[in-house]
Amino acid sequence: MRALLVEDEALVALIAEEALSGFGFRVTVAGSGAEARRAFAEGGLDLAVIDVGLPDIKGYDLAGELRSQAPDLPILMASGYDAGDVAARFPDDTRVRALGKPYTEGDLAEAIRSLGLQIQG
């Protein structure tokens, strides 16, 4: 399985990458929307974890772009803001879930499973 992790905070990215790898994902880390678009273009993604606050684009807008090109891609929106905002922006999309920040490895695993993905660990 392949995951795209879009996170501009280096420490958060490092910890999340380690957790995703432990769950059995090959992880591509992008620190911006531009990097994420390049990684997405390579194809073969099974999951995207996107921080809401990116330096060059709102995470919600990036998720919308990815969703328009890959309607079934499971997406986790990582945010320190209200999780209800994710639901409001993607009201009928069962493949998008909120992941509150800060999050633990267990929180990440639970969110991934809520999207219907089977993971190791």
Side-chain angles (χ1 to χ4, degrees), residues 36-93:
R37 287 183 194 101
R38 285 192 292 275
F40 178 78
E42 295 174 12
L45 290 178
D46 299 292
L47 173 68
V49 181
I50 303 172
D51 181 26
V52 169
L54 297 171
D56 60 342
I57 187 173
K58 294 284 186 195
Y60 294 122
D61 294 335
L62 177 62
E65 287 179 29
L66 301 187
R67 173 57 72 240
S68 71
Q69 298 174 52
D72 294 327
L73 177 66
I75 298 175
L76 290 176
M77 297 301 306
S79 174
Y81 303 107
D82 181 14
D85 198 32
V86 172
R89 290 179 187 261
F90 301 93
D92 298 320
D93 196 332

Side-chain angles (χ1 to χ4, degrees), residues 1-7 13 16-17 20-21 25-51 54 59 62-63 65-67 70 73-78 99 103 108 112 115 117:
M1 290 192 301
R2 187 167 165 242
L4 173 61
L5 172 62
V6 189
E7 174 60 64
E17 179 182 16
L20 289 166
S21 294
F25 288 97
R26 286 182 303 119
V27 183
T28 300
V29 178
S32 68
E35 289 177 17
R37 287 183 194 101
R38 285 192 292 275
F40 178 78
E42 295 174 12
L45 290 178
D46 299 292
L47 173 68
V49 181
I50 303 172
D51 181 26
L54 297 171
L62 177 62
E65 287 179 29
L66 301 187
R67 173 57 72 240
L73 177 66
I75 298 175
L76 290 176
M77 297 301 306
L99 176 62
Y103 55 85
L108 182 57
I112 293 169
L115 289 166
L117 296 173

Side-chain angles (χ1 to χ4, degrees), residues 99-111:
L99 176 62
K101 287 175 93 176
Y103 55 85
T104 65
E105 185 174 317
D107 296 334
L108 182 57
E110 182 179 325

